[in-house]
Amino acid sequence: MEVGGATKRVTRRRVQTRARLLDAAFTVFAAKGFGRVSIEEVCEAAGFSRGAFYSNFATLDELFFALYQDRADLIARQVADALALDRPDLDVPASVDRVTDVLLLDVDWLLVKTDFLVHAARDPAVAEALLDHRARLRQAIADRLFRARGHAPIPAVLGGADGAAHAVVAAYDGVTTQLLLDRDVDRARAWLKQLLTALLTDGSTPSDKTFG
């Protein structure tokens, strides 16, 4: 019994150590950029030795990937959970409001995400993981739009639920790129709501505000 209790304590401690390393890495990567960060800097920010790092990650690349995966999975869950609350008829403006209200629009995360995108562009194995995440995100959106067909018609120009899901993710990419430059989260969230509503309906929006 004592052995089991000791194992649980070790496991819990390791989980906590891993979480602290990921949090510290997020802060350091966002501040300096992935290619400019060393293992020592991550360990110092987390308050751990290199031994603690190597008991959880083999390389800095592995930690970077784990960090991206955690945040990317969070965003996919946010979108899926928000869409799951809808009735079968899918009130598009209400759904867009709900998704954009909970969606992670954080400049530090976008800096890390952009670093990961550049890294993936030069490494096919990393690119495959990034493409898998984006495919899962699009699938969650497409599944919801497909279930609502007949109740909430998709504009023909988008070519069905899959095309609409691609357009939604592309809109998010565009808005978040602008957010990286102007750092205006409220404006980005409002613009994303307006753009997605226009994409998924007849092109009209309930807002008379224009964002550039």
Side-chain angles (χ1 to χ4, degrees):
M1 188 71 175
E2 181 62 31
V3 173
T7 301
K8 287 181 181 178
R9 284 196 297 274
V10 170
T11 301
R12 184 163 55 248
R13 190 181 311 120
R14 183 167 184 176
V15 168
Q16 292 169 346
T17 299
R18 178 184 172 87
R20 279 178 58 184
L21 284 166
L22 287 171
D23 286 344
F26 179 82
T27 301
V28 177
F29 286 146
K32 299 188 66 174
F34 172 65
R36 297 183 177 90
V37 173
S38 67
I39 290 174
E40 287 77 9
E41 287 174 299
V42 172
C43 292
E44 183 179 350
F48 291 130
S49 66
R50 287 175 66 95
F53 178 92
Y54 285 117
S55 70
N56 287 274
F57 303 102
T59 64
L60 205 57
D61 275 23
E62 184 181 322
L63 180 147
F64 191 46
F65 179 82
L67 175 63
Y68 176 83
Q69 196 71 37
D70 279 359
R71 300 288 171 132
D73 286 347
L74 170 63
I75 290 174
R77 286 196 304 273
Q78 287 175 333
V79 171
D81 290 349
L83 290 174
L85 297 174
D86 270 319
R87 302 185 308 276
D89 57 341
L90 186 64
D91 182 337
V92 169
S95 297
V96 167
D97 281 350
R98 189 158 50 248
V99 169
T100 52
D101 281 345
V102 302
L103 194 60
L104 180 65
L105 289 177
D106 175 76
V107 172
D108 283 348
W109 156 242
L110 295 174
L111 287 168
V112 172
K113 175 188 168 187
T114 301
D115 270 353
F116 193 83
L117 176 62
V118 173
H119 184 47
R122 295 187 173 98
D123 187 325
V126 179
E128 186 175 344
L130 180 58
L131 288 169
D132 176 68
H133 160 67
R134 291 171 69 82
R136 286 187 289 115
L137 182 60
R138 287 195 304 268
Q139 193 61 52
I141 298 168
D143 286 349
R144 184 64 191 89
L145 292 172
F146 184 77
R147 291 198 305 274
R149 70 193 188 284
H151 299 286
I154 297 169
V157 69
L158 296 177
D162 287 340
H166 274 81
V168 167
V169 174
Y172 171 75
D173 286 342
V175 169
T176 53
T177 297
Q178 180 68 25
L179 175 57
L180 272 175
L181 300 176
D182 63 27
R183 306 297 181 103
D184 191 335
V185 175
D186 290 339
R187 188 182 189 201
R189 205 175 294 279
W191 176 226
L192 186 59
K193 287 183 180 184
Q194 189 176 13
L195 183 57
L196 292 182
T197 301
L199 266 174
L200 297 175
T201 58
D202 60 1
S204 63
T205 91
S207 171
D208 59 359
K209 281 185 81 173
T210 301
F211 297 88

